[in-house]
Amino acid sequence: MKRLLITGGAGFIGSNFIRYILAKYPGYHVINLDKLTYAGNLENLSGLENDARHEFIQGDICDAEAVAGILRKGIDSVINFAAESHVDRSILSSSEFIRTNVVGTLNLIELCRKNRIGRYIQISTDEVYGSLGSSGFFTEASPIQPNSPYAASKASADMLVRSYCHTHGFPGIITRCSNNYGPYQFPEKLIPLLISNAINGFPLPIYGDGLYVRDWIHVRDHCSAVDAVLHNGKPGEVYNIGARQELPNIQVARTILRLLGKDESLLTFVEDRPGHDRRYAIDPSRIEKELNWRAQTLFDSGIRETIDWYRNNSNWIEHVRSGAYLTYYDRMYGQRHKTLSEM
Ligand code: NAD
Ligand code: TYD
């Protein structure tokens, strides 16, 4: 049996990863440490409330005592998904990004080092590489040139993990994935925002000329890539993760409108994001060759499946929009989830 500490497991990718791991490895035990910021949602983990293999603890990755207490319980590997993750929010205010993404990561790796944790995976992003022109791809050797405060905070965390590997022989691995989409994504990000607005007949906000390009991967494929890295990746290395599916934002929006049978008059061009990165595109050759991993979901089928999920889970969207998800546990069980003092 393996015991994993997964941080940020109540967020979009972390919750998908927990479901993925528990389904694939029945003998694994997951401790899920999440602060439950606005992006953390226990409804993302619905169905796992009575699964003894999933232990949820509300807490902050910056809290040294809390993290040390969990590591002392016996942990084989740590996977750090916890982050402030939205570029637009980092433009409005960046201090929380530095606190969680940089200071929080430093706290985790220092305690993992002291507690001799066998493996640490830092979930990073392709955004650390900055922006591409109309050609070329990000490889693991591309220069780190972050453009947004979010990307800068993730790049800083990567540099800390790298330095710990180099200096202390720390068993850290960094993954840099492209834009994810799929179930349980907070509707401030492009795809869930467009889907939920289109369903409700609201305008679809398109920044600038809409020709910004993102490289889309279904969250399930990201999860299988992290699984491959967790079990077979080489400590000290970086793995780019992507599905070779580049699309301009306007095409994503048109596809969503078409699949929902909505009119293109809902497309609304709005003021551009300051410093907006023009294009991201990942070269995933390394993980494909070295870890025999491949993305399986084509955008065409993944987006249909995702639209169906949001259509069939209107309660989830409604709770997120209204804030009702914040009291999910209280409503379901008449009690609060575990706090650190109850650990
Ligand atoms: P998310 O915003 O949906 O979830 C983040 C989670 O972290 C939330 O549950 C939140 O409560 C938790 N959290 C925030 N601060 C915390 C703290 N101080 N201590 C403990 N928990 C805290 O983000 P996501 O989209 O699931 O992204 C997860 C990770 O993947 C992030 O590190 C992000 O940088 C990376 N990533 C995301 C994408 C993407 O397209 N969403 C792509 C590549 C990499
Ligand atoms: P986002 O989902 O915020 O991810 P990231 O900025 O990390 O790539 O945005 C994806 C793309 O969609 C990006 O080019 C910005 C654009 N965008 C819009 O055009 N309208 C929106 O309302 C949002 C949230 C994003």
Side-chain angles (χ1 to χ4, degrees):
M1 186 192 78
K2 264 200 198 284
R3 286 171 60 83
L4 308 180
L5 169 59
I6 296 180
T7 66
F12 163 49
I13 305 173
S15 62
N16 275 282
F17 186 71
I18 289 173
R19 288 178 189 280
Y20 178 95
I21 284 290
L22 292 179
K24 182 163 176 191
Y25 303 103
Y28 281 24
H29 185 93
V30 166
I31 297 183
N32 173 4
L33 176 69
D34 195 298
K35 187 179 173 185
L36 294 184
T37 66
Y38 78 95
N41 180 354
L42 287 170
E43 288 192 41
N44 295 355
L45 297 157
S46 62
L48 294 179
E49 297 88 349
N50 299 316
D51 190 330
R53 299 172 306 148
H54 172 239
E55 196 177 336
F56 178 77
I57 297 170
Q58 184 174 12
D60 190 329
I61 60 166
C62 299
D63 182 340
E65 234 176 89
V67 173
I70 294 170
L71 295 182
R72 275 197 299 270
K73 286 165 76 157
I75 294 290
D76 298 300
S77 303
V78 174
I79 304 120
N80 180 26
F81 290 95
E84 288 296 332
S85 67
H86 191 38
V87 172
D88 292 329
R89 286 179 190 258
S90 80
I91 294 169
L92 292 173
S93 170
S94 49
S95 57
E96 207 49 31
F97 287 73
I98 302 306
R99 207 188 77 84
T100 286
N101 300 1
V102 185
V103 179
T105 298
L106 177 61
N107 188 44
L108 283 177
I109 60 178
E110 176 59 9
L111 289 166
C112 285
R113 181 180 78 82
K114 282 189 178 144
N115 285 277
R116 300 181 186 286
I117 298 301
R119 186 155 283 211
Y120 173 93
I121 313 291
Q122 175 68 12
I123 305 297
S124 186
T125 166
D126 61 354
E127 301 193 30
V128 300
Y129 296 122
S131 186
L132 290 166
S134 53
S135 62
F137 298 91
F138 297 134
T139 72
E140 289 81 358
S142 297
I144 302 296
Q145 293 176 327
N147 288 324
S148 71
Y150 161 67
S153 70
K154 295 295 290 186
S156 306
D158 286 10
M159 295 301 102
L160 286 168
V161 174
R162 179 193 145 91
S163 76
Y164 266 54
C165 295
H166 186 83
T167 304
H168 298 296
F170 181 66
I173 305 179
I174 297 167
T175 62
R176 297 189 180 131
C177 190
S178 61
N179 284 63
N180 285 221
Y181 68 98
Y184 303 109
Q185 187 168 26
F186 197 85
E188 63 182 356
K189 305 278 167 58
L190 182 71
I191 287 187
L193 178 74
L194 297 185
I195 295 174
S196 67
N197 280 14
I199 288 171
N200 290 301
F202 297 157
L204 272 54
I206 307 297
Y207 295 171
D209 62 7
L211 297 177
Y212 294 85
V213 171
R214 294 295 182 264
D215 185 357
W216 293 100
I217 184 171
H218 193 279
V219 64
R220 190 172 43 231
D221 283 329
H222 188 184
C223 292
S224 69
V226 174
D227 176 21
V229 170
L230 175 66
H231 291 96
N232 300 310
K234 208 165 141 215
E237 296 296 336
V238 175
Y239 295 92
N240 283 356
I241 302 168
R244 296 191 170 92
Q245 298 184 107
E246 290 180 53
L247 288 170
N249 296 334
I250 190 69
Q251 193 176 326
V252 171
R254 289 205 165 104
T255 302
I256 290 170
L257 287 173
R258 179 171 48 79
L259 292 173
L260 281 165
K262 301 283 180 173
D263 199 86
E264 289 206 358
S265 59
L266 289 177
L267 294 173
T268 307
F269 289 87
V270 299
E271 195 183 336
D272 210 350
R273 169 187 284 173
H276 199 168
D277 284 338
R278 193 62 167 167
R279 173 172 168 259
Y280 301 147
I282 280 275
D283 175 355
S285 307
R286 175 171 199 190
I287 188 170
E288 289 175 348
K289 283 193 198 116
E290 294 181 17
L291 303 186
N292 196 25
W293 170 87
R294 291 274 179 298
Q296 302 292 333
T297 310
L298 292 174
F299 186 78
D300 189 49
S301 57
I303 194 69
R304 285 170 195 270
E305 190 192 310
T306 303
I307 288 174
D308 283 346
W309 188 87
Y310 284 91
R311 265 206 288 226
N312 295 332
N313 288 274
S314 51
N315 274 351
W316 182 90
I317 296 191
E318 192 194 307
H319 290 171
V320 168
R321 284 193 183 271
S322 69
Y325 71 104
L326 297 168
T327 58
Y328 174 73
Y329 236 73
D330 310 26
R331 281 184 287 112
M332 291 290 283
Y333 300 102
Q335 60 178 40
R336 286 190 51 72
H337 42 75
K338 222 176 205 179
T339 60
L340 287 169
S341 58
E342 293 155 359
M343 256 167 52

